Amino acid sequence: MVFVPVCVVFASFLSPDDEIWQHLISTTLPSLLTNTLWLSLGVIVGTSLLGVSLAWFTSVYRFPGYRFFSWALFLPLAIPAYVIAFVALGTFDYTGPVQTSLRHWFNSDLLWFPDIRSGPGVAIVMTLAFYPYVYLLSRDAFLTQGKRLLEVAQSLGFTRQQGFFRVVLPMARPWIVAGIMLALMETLADFGTVSIFNYDTFTTAIYKTWFGMFSLSTASQLASLLILIVLVIIMTEQRFRLRMRFSESRKSARVERIPLTGWQAMAVTGFAGTVLFFAFALPVIQLGIWAMDALTIGLDQRYLEFAWHSILLSVLAALITCLVAAMLAYAARLHSDGYTRFAIRLATVGYALPGAVLAVGIFIPMAWLDNLLSDWIENISGVETGLLIQGTLTVMLVAYMTRFLAVSYFPLESALQRVTRSIDEAAAGFGVTGWSMLRMIYFPMLKSSLFTAATLVFVDVMKEMPITLMTRPFDWDTLAVRIFSLTSEGQWDQAALPALTLILTGLIPIILLIRHSET
């Protein structure tokens, strides 16, 4: 189910459009690749710094507000990157309230004010939107091993800083890299944010080639190059991690926090508060102001239906995707040969595909299968059945599973690092094998990661726009589709209302995840 749409995309290489490719190579492709590279590096650095540092502070140290920040820093997960993007432009652009007020106060043109419509501006917005992936997984690693490993490092003569960088950080590498990979693939596949900023990247080239040059095959070829890039990155990282072993248990690592005092405590509190303000509080406040202005003309009873459709799709997609991801992670544990590893990595590269291109890759084989089934039933029974698969939730759920399999796979794969071979051998010595081992050994140890994976998929499906827009059944609108229809018409104030509803709905699983992670 994952391999077929990828093959459909790669099959476009059989019919290249030489004229369009020559035009792309000679005009825009080099700059697009450069922009994509710098944006990816910016997001990698930004999410790493924010996610790892905040996870370390909230997991190991005690400072003013640490209990609040430990769960509040999860909240930006509920906000789509494209929502933060249009809030940032509406707030900090030249005509926005911030620059307008500053020009009035200082009676100046503000030539020193940084341009929000730039590469660094896009990278900052994406960092604020995607750092929770790194924070969530890094915090899980630090809670299970951070303080105890730091004490071990100090007993060997390391300072606290040396112990963090030379012992704790390497041991948390699987979780940190998993979060960074999720943020990177989100960046490579993003279209809404970069299009709002008018910042040309690889994905904008795909969309412009498709809708501007009317060449779906060339767009698919560009998408396949994007898959190859991500596959190389994933395989390279996996090769470096192949010989490493990581094993720490949650219960043995629960120890007292290290207290921070003085300027250090205030600095950490201020740092966490600043990140939370710009990543969550400011977008919600601005959306609330806009939504109040549009409340009288934009609100109708269909919003409950939009929210229900979004929640239903997210729950079903989370269940299906986590089940498949768990099977893949367990298969990788049982079979460590190169073919299995390559197949699993290929199965998780769908996260790097732009949603609209992936929708086409799913829709084409589904349409072929639907016509085949319809003709077969008609030949057997003489009854015309019409379309059996198209126009149903099946196409959407398959597309979601393909798109977000990596989101659930990476946390489960990292968690399996804790289940050492000695645990399997000990369980087998007591006669616990097969399904009994899965139920009695693996599930209790992976329960937290399974919940984390399901929450990530739920939230991502809630925010997904292109796949939902192109594959949904007739009149099956969601909150994301409502946002698209309003923003495409330039109604930014009215788009704030469904955006705020989407955030509030997405907060439900985030709150459950927070409560679960603290138990």
Side-chain angles (χ1 to χ4, degrees):
M1 293 168 62
V2 177
F3 187 67
V4 168
V6 173
C7 287
V8 170
V9 173
F10 274 105
S12 60
F13 273 114
L14 299 177
S15 56
D17 193 322
D18 295 336
E19 183 177 348
I20 292 180
W21 269 105
Q22 291 176 1
H23 171 73
L24 290 175
I25 293 174
S26 61
T27 56
T28 60
L29 192 57
S31 62
L32 293 173
L33 291 172
T34 302
N35 289 346
T36 302
L37 174 63
W38 284 114
L39 179 60
S40 300
L41 291 177
V43 173
I44 289 174
V45 173
T47 55
S48 300
L49 292 176
L50 292 187
V52 175
S53 59
L54 291 172
W56 178 245
F57 290 140
T58 58
S59 302
V60 176
Y61 291 97
R62 185 170 67 249
F63 56 92
Y66 78 93
R67 293 185 184 275
F68 167 75
F69 288 115
S70 64
W71 62 265
L73 290 169
F74 285 107
L75 298 179
L77 271 177
I79 306 182
Y82 53 82
V83 172
I84 298 181
F86 79 75
V87 169
L89 286 180
T91 305
F92 296 102
D93 204 6
Y94 183 82
T95 58
V98 172
Q99 290 204 50
T100 301
S101 300
L102 291 177
R103 284 196 301 271
H104 176 72
W105 292 342
F106 294 101
N107 193 23
S108 171
D109 291 335
L110 299 182
L111 298 178
W112 51 268
F113 198 91
D115 184 13
I116 188 66
R117 294 180 180 270
S118 62
V122 182
I124 291 173
V125 167
M126 287 191 171
T127 295
L128 293 175
F130 301 146
Y131 88 85
Y133 291 112
V134 183
Y135 172 76
L136 176 64
L137 298 180
S138 300
R139 188 170 183 271
D140 184 51
F142 293 146
L143 283 175
T144 61
Q145 63 188 20
K147 177 71 184 314
R148 181 61 55 83
L149 288 178
L150 191 60
E151 292 175 346
V152 172
Q154 289 179 296
S155 70
L156 296 176
F158 293 111
T159 64
R160 187 175 295 172
Q161 290 75 19
Q162 290 174 333
F164 171 74
F165 286 105
R166 299 185 62 176
V167 178
V168 178
L169 203 59
M171 287 294 293
R173 180 182 170 182
W175 293 265
I176 295 173
V177 172
I180 292 174
M181 291 303 302
L182 293 177
L184 175 60
M185 286 190 282
E186 279 278 14
T187 302
L188 292 175
D190 179 86
F191 174 75
T193 305
V194 293
S195 63
I196 289 175
F197 275 84
N198 197 26
Y199 183 81
D200 289 333
T201 63
F202 212 92
T203 52
T204 60
I206 295 173
Y207 279 80
K208 289 179 180 179
T209 302
W210 185 351
F211 295 105
M213 300 180 180
F214 303 102
S215 177
L216 179 58
S217 62
T218 306
S220 299
Q221 291 161 22
L222 290 171
S224 63
L225 293 178
L226 192 58
I227 298 175
L228 290 176
I229 293 172
V230 174
L231 184 61
V232 169
I233 295 173
I234 295 175
M235 295 294 291
T236 301
E237 192 283 326
Q238 179 67 17
R239 186 175 183 85
F240 281 122
R241 195 176 6 141
L242 186 61
R243 297 182 180 275
M244 296 183 179
R245 296 294 180 267
F246 309 86
S247 58
E248 280 287 340
S249 62
R250 178 174 297 272
K251 292 184 179 179
S252 64
R254 291 285 190 177
V255 291
E256 290 296 324
R257 293 173 176 267
I258 301 173
L260 291 178
T261 57
W263 69 268
Q264 292 180 331
M266 298 307 298
V268 173
T269 301
F271 172 58
T274 301
V275 173
L276 182 62
F277 174 77
F278 284 103
F280 182 77
L282 180 61
V284 171
I285 292 172
Q286 184 62 74
L287 288 174
I289 295 173
W290 288 339
M292 290 299 296
D293 295 337
L295 188 62
T296 56
I297 59 176
L299 182 64
D300 55 50
Q301 49 186 300
R302 290 182 300 165
Y303 273 93
L304 289 177
E305 182 180 352
F306 298 154
W308 164 245
H309 290 168
S310 298
I311 293 174
L312 177 63
L313 288 173
S314 300
V315 170
L316 293 176
L319 291 176
I320 295 173
T321 305
C322 286
L323 176 62
V324 176
M327 294 165 58
L328 288 179
Y330 190 62
R333 179 179 178 82
L334 294 180
H335 307 282
S336 59
D337 59 279
Y339 294 106
T340 302
R341 292 198 306 271
F342 176 78
I344 291 176
R345 294 308 170 189
L346 184 62
T348 57
V349 298
Y351 201 46
L353 274 175
V357 176
L358 179 60
V360 173
I362 292 289
F363 189 82
I364 291 175
M366 283 291 184
W368 173 83
L369 179 61
D370 207 355
N371 293 329
L372 184 66
L373 289 175
S374 179
D375 293 340
W376 181 76
I377 294 176
E378 184 177 358
N379 292 333
I380 296 297
S381 62
V383 178
E384 295 185 4
T385 60
L387 300 179
L388 300 174
I389 302 176
Q390 300 176 66
T392 67
L393 299 183
T394 303
V395 180
M396 300 178 70
L397 293 175
V398 172
Y400 288 145
M401 190 272 292
T402 307
R403 175 79 167 86
F404 299 117
L405 187 59
V407 176
S408 55
Y409 175 78
F410 285 130
L412 293 177
E413 182 203 31
S414 299
L416 275 176
Q417 302 283 347
R418 296 183 185 142
V419 187
T420 62
R421 295 293 182 181
S422 59
I423 295 178
D424 290 354
E425 295 169 358
F430 286 97
V432 180
T433 58
W435 288 106
S436 298
M437 181 180 292
L438 290 176
R439 178 175 56 85
M440 299 174 61
I441 306 297
Y442 279 85
F443 180 74
M445 298 187 70
L446 300 179
K447 183 170 60 175
S448 177
S449 296
L450 280 168
F451 190 84
T452 298
T455 303
L456 291 175
V457 175
F458 183 97
V459 174
D460 275 341
V461 173
M462 285 283 295
K463 299 183 291 186
E464 170 61 37
M465 183 185 297
I467 291 177
T468 307
L469 186 67
M470 299 183 64
T471 62
R472 74 191 192 281
F474 177 75
D475 202 27
W476 183 277
D477 289 342
T478 63
L479 293 171
V481 173
R482 182 65 172 172
I483 294 171
F484 173 81
S485 63
L486 292 174
T487 54
S488 61
E489 298 172 1
Q491 301 178 13
W492 298 101
D493 291 349
Q494 293 191 34
L497 188 58
L500 191 60
T501 306
L502 178 63
I503 293 173
L504 295 177
T505 306
L507 283 177
I508 297 174
I510 299 299
I511 294 173
L512 293 176
L513 175 62
I514 293 167
R515 294 184 60 183
H516 181 78
S517 65
E518 294 294 333
T519 58

